[in-house]
Amino acid sequence: MPDLLAPGLDVLFVGINPGLWSAATGWHFARPGNRFWPALHRGGFTPRLLHPSEQDELPALGLGITNMVARASARADELSAEELVTGAELLTGKVRRYRPRWVAVVGVTAYRIGFARPRAGFGPQPDRLGPARLWVLPNPSGLNAHFTAESLGAAFGELRAAAGAAR
Protein backbone atom coordinates (compact mmCIF):
# COMPACT_ATOMS: atom_id res chain seq x y z
CA MET A 1 0.00 0.00 0.00
CA PRO A 2 1.76 3.19 -1.08
CA ASP A 3 2.05 6.05 1.39
CA LEU A 4 0.74 9.48 0.45
CA LEU A 5 3.62 11.55 1.78
CA ALA A 6 5.24 14.86 0.94
CA PRO A 7 7.53 17.11 2.96
CA GLY A 8 5.88 19.63 5.29
CA LEU A 9 2.28 18.39 5.24
CA ASP A 10 -0.18 20.07 7.58
CA VAL A 11 -1.62 16.71 8.76
CA LEU A 12 -0.44 13.16 8.22
CA PHE A 13 -3.29 10.72 8.90
CA VAL A 14 -2.13 7.33 10.14
CA GLY A 15 -4.39 4.35 9.60
CA ILE A 16 -3.90 1.22 11.66
CA ASN A 17 -3.30 -1.04 8.65
CA PRO A 18 -4.85 -1.55 5.23
CA GLY A 19 -8.01 -3.57 5.05
CA LEU A 20 -8.27 -6.25 2.41
CA TRP A 21 -10.36 -3.99 0.17
CA SER A 22 -7.77 -1.21 0.37
CA ALA A 23 -4.95 -3.64 -0.35
CA ALA A 24 -6.81 -4.89 -3.44
CA THR A 25 -7.54 -1.40 -4.80
CA GLY A 26 -4.40 0.43 -3.65
CA TRP A 27 -6.58 3.16 -2.11
CA HIS A 28 -6.50 4.08 1.56
CA PHE A 29 -9.74 3.65 3.53
CA ALA A 30 -11.35 2.17 0.39
CA ARG A 31 -13.99 -0.18 1.80
CA PRO A 32 -17.43 1.30 1.06
CA GLY A 33 -18.46 1.21 4.75
CA ASN A 34 -15.38 3.10 5.92
CA ARG A 35 -16.21 6.62 7.05
CA PHE A 36 -12.76 8.23 6.71
CA TRP A 37 -13.53 10.18 3.52
CA PRO A 38 -16.90 11.53 4.75
CA ALA A 39 -15.32 12.47 8.11
CA LEU A 40 -12.46 14.22 6.33
CA HIS A 41 -14.97 16.28 4.37
CA ARG A 42 -17.35 16.91 7.31
CA GLY A 43 -14.34 17.99 9.36
CA GLY A 44 -13.51 20.69 6.80
CA PHE A 45 -10.30 19.22 5.40
CA THR A 46 -11.60 18.82 1.84
CA PRO A 47 -13.80 21.16 -0.21
CA ARG A 48 -15.95 18.21 -1.33
CA LEU A 49 -16.38 14.54 -0.51
CA LEU A 50 -13.54 12.70 -2.20
CA HIS A 51 -13.70 9.10 -3.38
CA PRO A 52 -10.79 6.92 -2.26
CA SER A 53 -9.65 6.78 -5.91
CA GLU A 54 -9.01 10.55 -5.63
CA GLN A 55 -6.54 10.16 -2.75
CA ASP A 56 -3.72 11.69 -4.81
CA GLU A 57 -5.44 15.08 -4.40
CA LEU A 58 -4.64 15.13 -0.67
CA PRO A 59 -1.01 16.33 -0.72
CA ALA A 60 -2.06 19.50 -2.58
CA LEU A 61 -4.41 20.11 0.36
CA GLY A 62 -1.55 19.66 2.84
CA LEU A 63 -2.71 16.17 3.82
CA GLY A 64 -1.16 12.73 3.67
CA ILE A 65 -1.90 9.14 4.65
CA THR A 66 0.23 6.25 5.88
CA ASN A 67 -0.38 3.20 8.08
CA MET A 68 1.17 2.01 11.31
CA VAL A 69 1.36 -1.53 9.96
CA ALA A 70 1.76 -2.35 6.28
CA ARG A 71 0.23 -5.85 6.46
CA ALA A 72 -3.34 -6.03 5.23
CA SER A 73 -5.96 -7.84 7.29
CA ALA A 74 -9.72 -8.15 7.49
CA ARG A 75 -9.75 -6.59 10.97
CA ALA A 76 -7.27 -4.45 12.89
CA ASP A 77 -7.56 -6.74 15.92
CA GLU A 78 -5.70 -9.39 13.90
CA LEU A 79 -2.47 -7.42 14.39
CA SER A 80 -0.05 -8.30 17.17
CA ALA A 81 1.23 -5.84 19.73
CA GLU A 82 4.72 -6.41 18.30
CA GLU A 83 3.53 -5.32 14.85
CA LEU A 84 2.04 -2.13 16.29
CA VAL A 85 5.20 -1.29 18.27
CA THR A 86 7.38 -1.88 15.21
CA GLY A 87 4.94 0.18 13.14
CA ALA A 88 5.16 3.06 15.60
CA GLU A 89 8.96 2.99 15.29
CA LEU A 90 8.75 3.06 11.48
CA LEU A 91 6.19 5.87 11.63
CA THR A 92 8.55 7.90 13.81
CA GLY A 93 11.18 7.64 11.08
CA LYS A 94 8.73 8.78 8.40
CA VAL A 95 7.68 11.75 10.52
CA ARG A 96 11.28 12.79 11.12
CA ARG A 97 11.96 12.56 7.39
CA TYR A 98 8.82 14.31 6.06
CA ARG A 99 8.19 16.67 9.01
CA PRO A 100 4.39 17.09 8.99
CA ARG A 101 3.03 19.66 11.43
CA TRP A 102 0.49 17.20 12.89
CA VAL A 103 0.23 13.40 13.00
CA ALA A 104 -3.30 12.06 13.49
CA VAL A 105 -3.55 8.39 14.41
CA VAL A 106 -7.00 7.02 13.55
CA GLY A 107 -7.45 4.41 16.23
CA VAL A 108 -6.88 4.90 19.95
CA THR A 109 -6.15 1.24 20.71
CA ALA A 110 -3.42 1.06 18.06
CA TYR A 111 -1.94 4.30 19.41
CA ARG A 112 -2.02 3.05 23.01
CA ILE A 113 -0.27 -0.20 22.13
CA GLY A 114 2.15 1.09 19.49
CA PHE A 115 3.37 4.04 21.54
CA ALA A 116 3.06 2.44 25.00
CA ARG A 117 0.50 5.03 26.14
CA PRO A 118 -2.14 2.79 27.80
CA ARG A 119 -4.17 5.71 29.17
CA ALA A 120 -4.22 7.84 26.01
CA GLY A 121 -7.58 9.23 24.96
CA PHE A 122 -8.92 10.98 21.89
CA GLY A 123 -7.76 14.41 20.88
CA PRO A 124 -4.42 16.17 21.30
CA GLN A 125 -1.64 14.25 23.00
CA PRO A 126 0.96 15.76 25.33
CA ASP A 127 3.82 14.06 23.49
CA ARG A 128 5.30 14.94 20.13
CA LEU A 129 6.37 12.55 17.44
CA GLY A 130 9.64 14.01 16.27
CA PRO A 131 8.78 17.57 15.20
CA ALA A 132 5.03 16.89 14.90
CA ARG A 133 2.17 17.43 17.30
CA LEU A 134 0.07 14.31 17.92
CA TRP A 135 -3.69 13.82 17.79
CA VAL A 136 -5.73 10.63 18.19
CA LEU A 137 -8.97 10.24 16.24
CA PRO A 138 -11.58 7.49 16.43
CA ASN A 139 -11.18 4.63 13.99
CA PRO A 140 -13.48 5.40 11.01
CA SER A 141 -14.02 1.74 10.16
CA GLY A 142 -17.62 0.73 9.72
CA LEU A 143 -16.90 -1.89 12.40
CA ASN A 144 -16.51 0.92 14.98
CA ALA A 145 -20.16 1.47 15.80
CA HIS A 146 -19.36 3.64 18.84
CA PHE A 147 -19.04 6.68 16.58
CA THR A 148 -21.61 8.00 14.12
CA ALA A 149 -20.74 9.74 10.87
CA GLU A 150 -21.62 13.02 12.57
CA SER A 151 -19.46 12.43 15.66
CA LEU A 152 -16.55 11.34 13.46
CA GLY A 153 -16.91 14.52 11.41
CA ALA A 154 -16.92 16.57 14.59
CA ALA A 155 -13.76 14.84 15.85
CA PHE A 156 -12.01 15.51 12.55
CA GLY A 157 -13.24 19.12 12.72
CA GLU A 158 -11.61 19.60 16.13
CA LEU A 159 -8.28 18.54 14.65
CA ARG A 160 -8.77 20.80 11.65
CA ALA A 161 -9.44 23.75 13.93
CA ALA A 162 -6.39 22.99 16.05
CA ALA A 163 -4.14 22.43 13.06
CA GLY A 164 -5.42 25.42 11.13
CA ALA A 165 -5.32 23.19 8.09
CA ALA A 166 -8.57 24.26 6.47
CA ARG A 167 -8.12 24.79 2.77
Side-chain angles (χ1 to χ4, degrees):
M1 190 79 200
D3 289 333
L4 289 173
L5 286 172
L9 295 170
D10 292 321
V11 180
L12 175 61
F13 291 94
V14 182
I16 300 168
N17 73 311
L20 299 177
W21 195 288
S22 289
T25 63
W27 304 327
H28 293 272
F29 302 102
R31 187 161 187 80
N34 193 294
R35 298 164 302 168
F36 174 81
W37 296 98
L40 198 65
H41 178 60
R42 281 191 174 116
F45 282 104
T46 60
R48 63 180 177 82
L49 177 59
L50 297 176
H51 184 269
S53 64
E54 298 175 294
Q55 67 184 16
D56 291 339
E57 294 184 25
L58 291 182
L61 299 172
L63 308 173
I65 303 175
T66 189
N67 289 294
M68 278 187 63
V69 176
R71 180 173 71 86
S73 67
R75 297 173 53 103
D77 63 7
E78 296 174 20
L79 302 175
S80 69
E82 181 179 283
E83 285 177 292
L84 292 168
V85 169
T86 299
E89 292 167 359
L90 293 171
L91 174 63
T92 300
K94 290 177 188 180
V95 170
R96 286 193 174 120
R97 178 175 180 201
Y98 288 97
R99 305 183 67 75
R101 290 180 43 240
W102 286 85
V103 171
V105 179
V106 292
V108 69
T109 301
Y111 177 78
R112 287 174 178 163
I113 295 169
F115 289 95
R117 300 287 185 261
R119 297 188 193 330
F122 296 109
Q125 303 301 306
D127 301 317
R128 285 185 173 262
L129 186 58
R133 301 271 322 266
L134 274 166
W135 195 282
V136 175
L137 289 165
N139 184 341
S141 168
L143 299 174
N144 184 5
H146 292 52
F147 290 88
T148 65
E150 292 75 23
S151 63
L152 281 170
F156 276 62
E158 290 174 17
L159 168 60
R160 187 204 41 81
R167 300 278 178 160

